[in-house]
Amino acid sequence: MSVDRETNGDMTHRDIALLLAEAADEVEIGIAPTQAVLRGGRRRRARRWAVAAATTLVIAGTSGAVAVAGLPGGTDKGQVATRPSSEQRDLSAPYRTTLATGTDQGEQWSVFVDVWPVPRNEAEAATVWNALVEADGTPPDAEAPADLIGTVTYFVKRSYGERTSKVMENRIPASDTMSGRDLQTAAIPLAPDTDGPQRLVIGQVAGTAQFLSCHWKDGTSTKVGRARPGEEAGTDEALIRPAQGSPVDWFVCVAPRGTSYKEVLVTLPALP
């Protein structure tokens, strides 16, 4: 969705995201060219994703309401340095985890998530807030630094060729874990600035999820297992993996050329 600044000068991107977030608590929404699909699930929490991509996309969730905001995409304000692996609490930079990498039509692509530290008090919240302003911008549902206390702010980014774009963002309580078959997914085009097909699937699952399958519209599917501890993202390999600082685990899978996203199913481990 694009915003006409001449006819809607009083509406900001933040306003639009918040309005859509409120609407998604009660109804399924679809705004051309953005389409949102909310599939079943318990409404025990409002897990909201603001999607920063001016392309056709599909959102599905089984763990709460979803807000979709088709905001104009764009490049990041610069790469944020990966947080050093030390016990020192650095509030000025996020933890960065690469979720997947691959090659498409000769272009290298990757998906990674930046997870910001959880502020414990107003002083820490102010530090994180100022760092967010300089890096990715503050979350759409946060109006003041104090809103960040006790919550995890993350940004999912897609690199394709020489371009890196922010494609999703959210702020959730640090204790907001998932369980069982809880699932949150978004499907977007793999290449930026295109209207489809929705080949790139990015999702969240519980830390207990061992296997899942990404199903495509041509009847094929991709099996996704769990990464071994310390295993880095490999080229064109779909794996469930934790992200440092995130209360939930992540996965990325890509549809073969010529087809697109249909659904994702989580497989629970067999009972002993």
Side-chain angles (χ1 to χ4, degrees):
M1 180 178 65
S2 63
V3 178
D4 186 335
R5 295 182 182 273
E6 294 183 359
T7 58
N8 295 280
D10 294 333
M11 293 292 289
T12 66
H13 293 165
R14 180 185 298 274
D15 294 331
I16 296 169
L18 290 174
L19 287 173
L20 289 174
E22 294 174 358
D25 282 342
E26 301 298 334
V27 297
E28 299 179 10
I29 58 175
I31 303 176
T34 300
Q35 294 179 347
V37 179
L38 182 62
R39 296 183 177 177
R42 297 178 295 279
R43 302 181 59 85
R44 56 188 175 84
R45 58 178 170 272
R47 179 179 294 277
R48 294 169 175 171
W49 281 10
V51 181
T55 54
T56 302
L57 54 93
V58 175
I59 293 288
T62 61
S63 61
V66 178
V68 181
L71 306 181
T75 57
D76 287 335
K77 297 179 182 178
Q79 292 288 334
V80 179
T82 303
R83 174 182 294 271
S85 57
S86 68
E87 295 183 359
Q88 183 178 358
R89 187 172 167 82
D90 180 7
L91 301 173
S92 63
Y95 299 102
R96 173 166 292 183
T97 300
T98 299
L99 303 176
T101 63
T103 304
D104 179 66
Q105 301 186 87
E107 297 283 2
Q108 296 291 321
W109 64 265
S110 66
V111 175
F112 54 93
V113 58
D114 285 344
V115 182
W116 287 80
V118 179
R120 297 170 296 192
N121 51 51
E122 290 190 4
E124 290 188 351
T127 299
V128 174
W129 182 275
N130 292 335
L132 281 168
V133 170
E134 293 297 322
D136 297 304
T138 56
D141 65 342
E143 297 182 354
D147 293 337
L148 302 180
I149 297 175
T151 65
V152 174
T153 299
Y154 63 79
F155 299 86
V156 181
K157 302 175 182 180
R158 171 192 55 199
S159 175
Y160 189 92
E162 298 182 353
R163 179 175 179 181
T164 299
S165 303
K166 179 172 64 178
V167 294
M168 298 173 196
E169 62 184 277
N170 200 4
R171 182 177 66 90
I172 59 176
S175 60
D176 191 7
T177 58
M178 305 174 83
S179 62
R181 288 192 173 90
D182 281 355
L183 174 71
Q184 197 73 48
T185 62
I188 61 176
L190 179 58
D193 299 326
T194 60
D195 290 331
Q198 296 87 15
R199 295 178 56 209
L200 178 63
V201 179
I202 305 169
Q204 298 174 339
V205 291
T208 54
Q210 297 298 313
F211 301 97
L212 59 86
S213 54
C214 297
H215 294 256
W216 315 118
K217 289 185 177 179
D218 66 354
T220 63
S221 62
T222 300
K223 303 298 182 182
V224 183
R226 178 166 286 277
R228 296 183 296 273
E231 183 178 1
E232 296 183 356
T235 301
D236 297 312
E237 185 177 20
L239 292 171
I240 302 168
R241 63 178 66 251
Q244 189 172 5
S246 171
V248 296
D249 284 0
W250 297 78
F251 69 92
V252 173
C253 51
V254 177
R257 290 188 59 79
T259 188
S260 62
Y261 168 83
K262 179 181 178 182
E263 64 179 346
V264 174
L265 301 175
V266 176
T267 303
L268 294 179
L271 296 176

